[in-house]
Structure formats: structure tokens, C-alpha cells
């Protein structure tokens, strides 16, 4: 455990891992893309969402956990996901892919429209059980991430940091990165005290993420 009590997610029990595997190998489907708050599906089941800067790997991770290569559209160009995309997992829960915040290759008025929708969604969805905030392990936490943390603190929605593209950084740099992130998170009451390390390329952290989601 480090000084700030934030730690890398522990190994989960085998039965929880198995429950996660089962849930995500059952029926998963794209439900709808939403462009305005009044288009959200009825809030009648638990929901988790993937937030993060443009290009951090949100859609790739959703493909990773569902085991479906192109369920969510991914791209090299920041700003690929332009709607709030709802995926239904076994009719039991929603997994939600969000447009990225921060830099995106799209006209400013359009980006501003996504940003206000994103903020409205993150602060006003009663069934939202956890926000996974994805951070690119090569870049760490930026000002735009801090703004989202502040918003989630205010709306009292628990968020968990998921480091992405862990295949791209050296093992010895991970410890330094975690220390730095822990320091930032210690200021945020809504932060969940475990950080998950993932790679959609190598598959690291995928079964753990499934297992975590199964608990909702
Ligand atoms: P927006 O929808 O634009 O906000 O992006 P996003 O966060 O959904 O990112 P997306 O999943 O589209 O991935 C962006 C780029 O990162 C793509 O070129 C992916 O192939 C790449 N990528 C995603 N995950 C990983 C990973 O774990 N490792 C590596 N090396 N590349 C990744
Ligand atoms: Mg995307």
C-alpha cells in the first residue's frame, strides 16, 4: 500500500472472475446512441460508464470486456465517439461509452455540445453506479481530468481510475505514475481507492474489470 492509500487493484477471487466472464460472454448488444438527455433509456437497471480524454481507449476497452472486436467504434483520430452509446449486457446492466473530453478533431460548437451533454449525464443519472475514468498511462492526469473529478465529487458519483495502454509503458515507470495519481486522487472524496491497470492490446486487466462490473 502506498502513502495515500490508493493501490493497484488486488487479485479478485476466482468465483468473482468467473461471474464476470459468464456475464460478458452472454448476450451483449448495442442499444442506442444518445445525443440529448431526453434520449436516455429508462433508468431501470444498474449502469457503469467509461469516461476519459479523447483517444484514451474507452471504446477499445468496451470491445475488450465484451470480447467483440468492433461492438464500439474505435479510431486513431481523437473524437471518434460522438454520442452517449448504450450497450446492454445480458439485459441486466448498461455499459456506456462516452464521447471523449479535451482535445478532439471536431468543430468547436460540436465538441461543446458533447461536453455539456457529458456533464449533464455524469451529474444526473440516478442508476449510474460507477464512472470508470480512463487515463492513458503515458500521459497521466491532466487538467481536463481534474475538472471531471471535481464534477463527480460534487454529484457524489464514485469514480475509479483505469490506466489504459499499459503495454506502452515500462514496468519501472508504473510505480512512479501510481504515486503521482494517488497524490492527485487524495483530494477527491468520490475517488474509489483502487486503480486498475489495463491494456486492450495485451488483455491485461480485462477479466478483473469484468469482475468489478459484475458486482453492480
Ligand atoms: P474517442 O472516442 O475519440 O474519445 O476515443 P476512445 O477513448 O474511445 O479511444 P479508442 O478506443 O477509439 O482508441 C484510440 C486509439 O488508441 C486507437 O488507435 C486504439 O487502437 C488505441 N488503443 C486503445 N487501447 C489501446 C491499448 O491498450 N494499447 C495500445 N497500444 N493502443 C490502444
Ligand atoms: Mg470512443
Amino acid at each position: 500500500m502506498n502513502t495515500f492509500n490508493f493501490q493497484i487493484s488486488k487479485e479478485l477471487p476466482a468465483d468473482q472472475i468467473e461471474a464476470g466472464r459468464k456475464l460478458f460472454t452472454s448476450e451483449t448488444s448495442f442499444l442506442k446512441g444518445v445525443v440529448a438527455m431526453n434520449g436516455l433509456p429508462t433508468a431501470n437497471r444498474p449502469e457503469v460508464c467509461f469516461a476519459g480524454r479523447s483517444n484514451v481507449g474507452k471504446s477499445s476497452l468496451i470491445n475488450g470486456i465484451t470480447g467483440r472486436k468492433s461492438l464500439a467504434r474505435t479510431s486513431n483520430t481523437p473524437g471518434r465517439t460522438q454520442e452517449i452509446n448504450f450497450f446492454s449486457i445480458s439485459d441486466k446492466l448498461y455499459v456506456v461509452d462516452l464521447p471523449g473530453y479535451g482535445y478532439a478533431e471536431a468543430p468547436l460548437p460540436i465538441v461543446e455540445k458533447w461536453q455539456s451533454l457529458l456533464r449533464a449525464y455524469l451529474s444526473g443519472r440516478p442508476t449510474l453506479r460507477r464512472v470508470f475514468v480512463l487515463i492513458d498511462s503515458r500521459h497521466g492526469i491532466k487538467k481536463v481530468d481534474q475538472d471531471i473529478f471535481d464534477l463527480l465529487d460534487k454529484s457524489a458519483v464514485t469514480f475509479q481510475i483505469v490506466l489504459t495502454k499499459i503495454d506502452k509503458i515500462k514496468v519501472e515507470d508504473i510505480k512512479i505514475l501510481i504515486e503521482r495519481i494517488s497524490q492527485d486522487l487524495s483530494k477527491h472524496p468520490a475517488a474509489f481507492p483502487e486503480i486498475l491497470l489495463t491494456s486492450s492490446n495485451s488483455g491485461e486487466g480485462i477479466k478483473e474489470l469484468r469482475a468489478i462490473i459484475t458486482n453492480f
Side-chain angles (χ1 to χ4, degrees), residues 81-203:
T81 307
Q82 309 193 345
E83 301 180 335
I84 297 185
N85 286 326
F86 280 79
F87 298 93
S88 173
I89 314 297
S90 189
D91 286 336
K92 288 200 179 99
L93 67 109
Y94 290 132
V95 168
V96 179
D97 189 13
L98 296 172
Y101 50 77
Y103 170 77
E105 281 190 8
L108 195 60
I110 295 181
V111 175
E112 278 169 357
K113 204 176 145 226
W114 305 340
Q115 300 314 303
S116 61
L117 174 64
L118 182 74
R119 296 177 79 84
Y121 168 77
L122 287 177
S123 49
R125 184 72 172 160
T127 43
L128 185 56
R129 295 288 166 82
R130 186 166 298 177
V131 178
F132 294 104
V133 181
L134 276 53
I135 302 288
D136 189 320
S137 30
R138 298 167 302 178
H139 305 146
I141 292 174
K142 304 283 183 195
K143 170 77 171 63
V144 278
D145 298 308
Q146 299 279 8
D147 293 344
I148 293 292
F149 300 163
D150 289 340
L151 176 105
L152 294 169
D153 281 342
K154 268 194 213 115
S155 45
V157 181
T158 303
F159 68 91
Q160 179 166 10
I161 298 297
V162 176
L163 292 178
T164 62
K165 310 190 188 183
I166 207 79
D167 56 289
K168 289 278 198 184
I169 80 161
K170 295 196 207 94
V171 178
E172 57 268 32
D173 291 337
I174 295 178
K175 197 170 171 276
I176 304 166
L177 179 68
I178 301 280
E179 286 284 325
R180 209 175 295 144
I181 289 177
S182 301
Q183 230 161 338
D184 278 337
L185 290 183
S186 61
K187 292 173 263 174
H188 295 284
F192 188 76
E194 286 181 14
I195 297 165
L196 187 64
L197 271 48
T198 67
S199 165
S200 302
N201 278 22
S202 74

Side-chain angles (χ1 to χ4, degrees), residues 52-61 73-81 97-100 164-168 198-201:
R53 296 172 67 217
S54 297
N55 210 241
V56 70
K58 299 174 292 296
S59 302
S60 301
L61 205 53
R73 286 173 71 196
T74 65
S75 163
N76 254 327
T77 312
R80 158 54 65 203
T81 307
D97 189 13
L98 296 172
T164 62
K165 310 190 188 183
I166 207 79
D167 56 289
K168 289 278 198 184
T198 67
S199 165
S200 302
N201 278 22

